[in-house]
């Protein structure tokens, strides 16, 4: 079994105003931190479209205050 490193709990910064979606280059609305510590940024469309899959790989997330991510409930339910 390969061990995974989980970043320490803390505040994840939301996407900066100039950050773009890793999928389509639209404005970033969601930042995900993965188990290895790397990060992904998605626009609202792609964040919600791939929410089920993103929840499986993310350990933390931070959404733009004006954006409601569909995966937020799934993230909170998966930690229980």
């Amino acid at each position: 079994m390969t061990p995974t490193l989980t970043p320490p709990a803390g505040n994840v910064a939301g996407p900066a105003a100039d950050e773009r979606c890793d999928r389509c280059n639209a404005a970033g609305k969601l930042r995900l931190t993965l188990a290895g510590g790397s990060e992904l940024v998605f626009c609202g469309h792609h964040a919600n479209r791939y929410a089920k899959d993103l929840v499986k790989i993310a350990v933390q997330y931070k959404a733009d205050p004006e954006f409601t991510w569909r995966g937020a409930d799934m993230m909170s339910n998966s930690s229980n």
Side-chain angles (χ1 to χ4, degrees), residues 5-6 24 28 31 34 37 40 45 62 69 75 80:
L5 300 174
T6 302
C24 72
R31 177 190 305 278
L34 308 180
L40 295 172
H45 167 79
K62 179 68 175 180
W69 181 42
M75 287 286 291
N80 292 334

Side-chain angles (χ1 to χ4, degrees), residues 17-65:
D18 63 341
E19 285 190 286
R20 312 309 285 173
C21 177
D22 289 332
R23 184 82 174 145
C24 72
N25 206 31
K29 298 293 182 185
L30 177 78
R31 177 190 305 278
L32 298 174
T33 303
L34 308 180
S38 58
E39 296 180 330
L40 295 172
V41 174
F42 290 98
C43 66
H45 167 79
H46 284 113
N48 282 330
R49 181 175 181 181
Y50 298 114
K52 282 185 176 182
D53 295 324
L54 296 174
V55 166
K56 295 174 186 176
I57 62 170
V59 293
Q60 292 180 330
Y61 76 94
K62 179 68 175 180
D64 183 284

